[in-house]
Every structure is written in C-alpha cells, then in structure tokens.
Amino acid sequence: MNASVTSLAARRRSTTVEDVITSQHAGLIADYLTAYLNGDTTTMLVVRDFASQMDADYPGYPSLVAQLDALSSQAA
C-alpha cells in the first residue's frame, strides 16, 4: 500500500473517532438538558461524572464538563 492510501485510511479512522466523540458529547448534553428541565439532579450528576471521565480519557477535545457548566450558568 502506498503512503497516500495509508494516510487516507489513518485520516478516516481519526475522523470516525472524532465523529463518535462529538456524537457522545451531543447525547450527553441532551441528557443533561432533559434532566435539568425535569429537575432530575441524580441524572445530572451521573451525566456530569461520565462527562468528567470522557474529559480525562480524551484530553485533546473540548471539555464536556466546561460545556455543561456553561449550560447550567446560562439556564440559571
């Protein structure tokens, strides 16, 4: 396999990982907002704990905890 094909395959894998992380972030934000609107503090804490773990697992991506904090302060 030549270098351009290998590079393209690596780029596709990277994009797939980014897509999965972005999708997970969107889902967690939706869950957090739903819990907030329903007054479900237990679910909010669970989502926040999961978000904290994602931030630790993927340090190169935008902080999900920071996004949740921003949403909380905007909603207050």
Side-chain angles (χ1 to χ4, degrees), residues 3-68:
S4 63
V5 173
T6 303
S7 176
L8 179 59
R11 201 172 325 127
R12 281 189 184 146
R13 259 185 254 112
S14 175
T15 301
T16 301
V17 170
E18 290 172 6
D19 290 346
V20 168
I21 292 170
T22 300
S23 178
Q24 288 178 335
H25 276 210
L28 287 170
I29 289 170
D31 290 345
Y32 188 83
L33 288 174
T34 301
Y36 178 83
L37 292 172
N38 291 326
D40 184 357
T41 55
T42 302
T43 299
M44 289 171 66
L45 290 173
V46 169
V47 170
R48 187 174 174 77
D49 286 345
F50 192 78
S52 178
Q53 186 60 48
M54 279 195 72
D55 286 351
D57 290 344
Y58 304 103
Y61 292 91
S63 171
L64 184 54
V65 171
Q67 292 176 32
L68 296 178

